[in-house]
Amino acid sequence: MAFKRSSSMKTRLVRDIQLQEMEMEEEINTSSNNNTPAEEPKCYTVEEAVERIGFGRFHILLFVIMGSANIVEAMEIMLLAVVSPEIRCEWHLEDWQVALVSTMVFLGFMVCGVLCGYVADKYGRWKVVFGGFIWASYFSLLTSFSPSYGWFIFLRCMVGCGVAATSQGFVLKTEFIPSKYRASLLPLASVFWMLGSMLIIILGMTVVPTMGWRWMIRFSIIPSIILIGLFMIIPESARFQVSAGNIQGALSTLNWIARMNGATLPEGELRESELTERGNAITLISPAFRRTSLLLWYSWFVASFSYYGSVLSSSELLEKNLLCMTDADAEHQIKHNQEEALCYCIPFNMADYQTLLISCLGEVALIPLNIALLNIFGRKPSLAILQVMSAFFFMILNICTTMFGFTVLLFLLRSVVSMNFNVVYIYTAEVYPTSVRSIGMGFCTSFSRVGGMIAPFIAQVLMSKSVILALSPFAVACVICAVGVVFLPIETRGRALLQDA
């Protein structure tokens, strides 16, 4: 009996030990499971979604519609070169008064550029661009009814405000394009600018001689009206939507683009933090961006100064027959300048219109070279090379040549100054983060309009006194800018667009 009790006790003891071991093992397993972090759900950013979607039908639609905005902007700006001889004749204007017309347009652009950039970063790119189309069209139409020179320059200033808003379309377009396509697609916007320039010159050739400059302006707003309807198709920037905390709106936009392109979004959920500090101009002069901003502001000043200098100089040289031509006909041998108390009416003839028309082709002829420079050398070296080339062509524009030779020189000059504008636009949109991209662009375009305001007084007033004296400031500004570009701290080729500073 004692042996049986002893055996039974041993059996219970072993069983209790085994049970205790099993309980301890379960506790260890439970503790181990509790300490193992749960697998986090997959997530992605707008940048990753844009790259995943790639290039497709949506981007073609975006390119055509937003590119057409450049047609409107080019027509409003180039209109000044075409209409200058006509208003000079109608209101008997002096050179400085003709120059003031262009200056007032750029004044409106400068003042509204920063304001539009702030509103675009704060409330959305789409609203600003759409409002700009309506504003510019309305005041451009009113311009055609101007009863006096004073009303004309005031209304053109209001047009400049509208054009400043439409320029934010470049930011909207850039934020939808994958990084590897930006250097190829964005320079092609020059095609639309060229079309706008050519369209206003063709209107000048056909409408002005028969119906007058007022009807030319009325016909010129037709593309704006068409574009207002087409722009309704384009969505708000998904990058802005996430920065404003509208994740659902951004997801809806990205899904729509993905369906159009036949692509899919990355796995997981769209997750990106809201940016409470949007449109803060202080960021532009913070230590991270101070040197970039200062050099960019001057680069934009020179880009506009040289571009509109080339446009208005060519117009002035043709209007007043100031060219040194070896094959000048009897009409072009008569030189006109302010001191000789000229007849006020010196309208363009058909040959002058044709020269301006051919020079417009220069804005797209070298686009392949522009794309190659951007992809091979990057943004900074491209800017420096193009500025040096601009300075060179400004200076040789003064040489004595044939009318054909002048047309070729003007063609090449318009090519390089146009390419320079393309590169500075692209670099600016890439270097600033989403939180300040629009206001950064707004400040840059405002500084560019300072160049546009000064250019007419050199190209249209100083030109009558001395051609070489008028062309030299443009060349010198380009050389200084080429040196400054070397000190830009950031190269943006192949870099993703930043969301926050």
Side-chain angles (χ1 to χ4, degrees):
M1 284 295 287
F3 175 76
K4 286 183 179 180
R5 280 199 302 269
S6 175
S7 177
S8 176
M9 289 175 64
K10 286 181 181 180
T11 301
R12 284 199 302 272
L13 182 61
V14 169
R15 193 162 53 238
D16 289 343
I17 293 172
Q18 288 177 341
L19 183 60
Q20 188 175 7
E21 288 178 350
M22 289 176 63
E23 289 176 350
M24 289 176 64
E25 188 176 347
E26 286 180 4
E27 287 179 7
I28 292 172
N29 290 337
T30 303
S31 175
S32 176
N33 289 336
N34 290 338
N35 291 333
T36 302
E39 186 176 348
E40 293 185 5
K42 293 182 178 179
C43 59
Y44 59 90
T45 64
V46 175
E47 175 72 23
E48 292 167 341
V50 168
E51 297 296 331
R52 173 68 177 270
I53 292 171
F55 181 81
R57 285 183 297 176
F58 167 77
H59 296 91
I60 297 173
L61 182 68
L62 176 74
F63 179 74
V64 171
I65 294 177
M66 296 310 302
S68 299
N70 289 337
I71 293 179
V72 173
E73 186 176 350
M75 290 182 71
E76 294 295 350
I77 299 299
M78 288 298 297
L79 180 144
L80 304 173
V82 176
V83 84
S84 291
E86 304 302 322
I87 62 172
R88 185 198 300 269
C89 177
E90 181 167 332
W91 290 314
H92 290 198
L93 303 179
E94 296 183 24
D95 285 345
W96 71 267
Q97 291 175 304
V98 176
L100 187 61
V101 174
S102 301
T103 298
M104 291 301 290
V105 173
F106 295 127
L107 176 64
F109 206 128
M110 181 186 72
V111 172
C112 294
V114 174
L115 177 62
C116 291
Y118 172 78
V119 174
D121 275 331
K122 207 75 175 174
Y123 303 105
R125 285 74 159 118
W126 191 94
K127 298 181 183 70
V128 171
V129 179
F130 185 71
F133 285 138
I134 297 175
W135 182 285
S137 303
Y138 175 70
F139 282 101
S140 188
L141 178 62
L142 289 185
T143 302
S144 68
F145 297 98
S146 300
S148 65
Y149 168 73
W151 271 107
F152 185 86
I153 61 173
F154 169 74
L155 292 170
R156 292 311 297 178
C157 182
M158 293 295 100
V159 172
C161 284
V163 174
T166 61
S167 67
Q168 289 295 331
F170 190 87
V171 173
L172 181 62
K173 179 169 58 178
T174 302
E175 292 182 339
F176 277 124
I177 298 176
S179 59
K180 69 177 181 179
Y181 294 100
R182 288 199 293 265
S184 301
L185 281 178
L186 295 178
L188 290 175
S190 296
V191 173
F192 296 96
W193 185 279
M194 178 209 67
L195 291 174
S197 300
M198 293 180 68
L199 186 55
I200 201 68
I201 293 171
I202 291 170
L203 283 175
M205 295 171 64
T206 55
V207 177
V208 172
T210 56
M211 303 174 70
W213 62 269
R214 295 176 185 273
W215 275 104
M216 181 192 72
I217 293 178
R218 290 163 194 163
F219 285 129
S220 72
I221 68 169
I222 294 175
S224 297
I225 296 171
I226 296 172
L227 199 56
I228 288 171
L230 292 176
F231 189 65
M232 301 293 289
I233 303 172
I234 302 299
E236 177 59 270
S237 166
R239 294 180 191 271
F240 167 77
Q241 288 173 319
V242 295
S243 72
N246 185 9
I247 299 294
Q248 194 55 45
L251 186 59
S252 176
T253 297
L254 293 171
N255 272 316
W256 181 67
I257 296 172
R259 287 196 300 271
M260 279 197 70
N261 286 7
T264 57
L265 294 178
E267 291 183 13
E269 63 175 304
L270 178 62
R271 186 179 297 177
E272 211 155 327
S273 58
E274 179 181 355
L275 304 178
T276 55
E277 286 291 327
R278 300 193 311 275
N280 187 354
I282 300 299
T283 305
L284 303 180
I285 53 174
S286 66
F289 291 104
R290 186 179 299 127
R291 191 203 300 179
T292 297
S293 294
L294 292 175
L295 290 172
L296 267 182
W297 292 344
Y298 181 69
S299 298
W300 274 83
F301 168 85
V302 174
S304 180
F305 184 61
S306 58
Y307 179 83
Y308 295 111
S310 70
V311 172
L312 297 173
S313 293
S314 59
S315 174
E316 195 74 6
L317 289 169
L318 291 170
E319 181 188 348
K320 295 185 176 179
N321 298 332
L322 298 176
L323 293 168
C324 179
M325 294 173 57
T326 57
D327 62 345
D329 54 27
E331 182 181 356
H332 285 88
Q333 284 175 352
I334 303 172
K335 306 298 179 185
H336 301 276
N337 59 56
Q338 196 173 9
E339 285 77 10
E340 294 176 355
L342 307 173
C343 169
Y344 286 104
C345 298
I346 316 171
F348 287 146
N349 59 31
M350 194 57 65
D352 295 331
Y353 279 120
Q354 290 172 352
T355 299
L356 290 176
L357 202 60
I358 293 171
S359 69
C360 288
L361 295 173
E363 299 198 7
V364 298
L366 299 184
I367 284 179
L369 174 61
N370 197 358
I371 294 173
L373 284 172
L374 287 167
N375 283 303
I376 296 172
F377 296 104
R379 282 47 163 167
K380 288 171 51 181
S382 297
L383 280 172
I385 292 169
L386 292 170
Q387 291 289 7
V388 171
M389 292 175 67
S390 298
F392 173 74
F393 285 118
F394 266 117
M395 293 312 298
I396 67 171
L397 199 63
N398 189 56
I399 66 173
C400 204
T401 183
T402 63
M403 191 63 187
F404 175 77
F406 170 75
T407 303
V408 171
L409 290 177
L410 188 59
F411 177 91
L412 293 172
L413 176 60
R414 288 285 292 275
S415 293
V416 293
V417 295
S418 177
M419 285 194 290
N420 180 60
F421 233 138
N422 283 336
V423 179
V424 79
Y425 253 112
I426 294 169
Y427 182 85
T428 304
E430 291 178 335
V431 78
Y432 287 126
T434 300
S435 58
V436 291
R437 186 169 294 124
S438 283
I439 196 170
M441 184 71 76
F443 266 94
C444 286
T445 54
S446 289
F447 274 93
S448 79
R449 301 317 159 185
V450 176
M453 290 166 66
I454 298 173
F457 287 94
I458 296 176
Q460 293 180 301
V461 178
L462 194 58
M463 190 71 75
S464 294
K465 301 181 182 298
S466 170
V467 174
I468 186 66
L469 197 61
L471 295 175
S472 296
F474 299 110
V476 172
C478 289
V479 171
I480 295 173
C481 186
V483 175
V485 163
V486 176
F487 295 97
L488 282 169
I490 303 170
E491 171 58 60
T492 62
R493 181 179 61 167
R495 195 182 76 153
L497 295 183
L498 300 178
Q499 189 70 3
D500 196 9

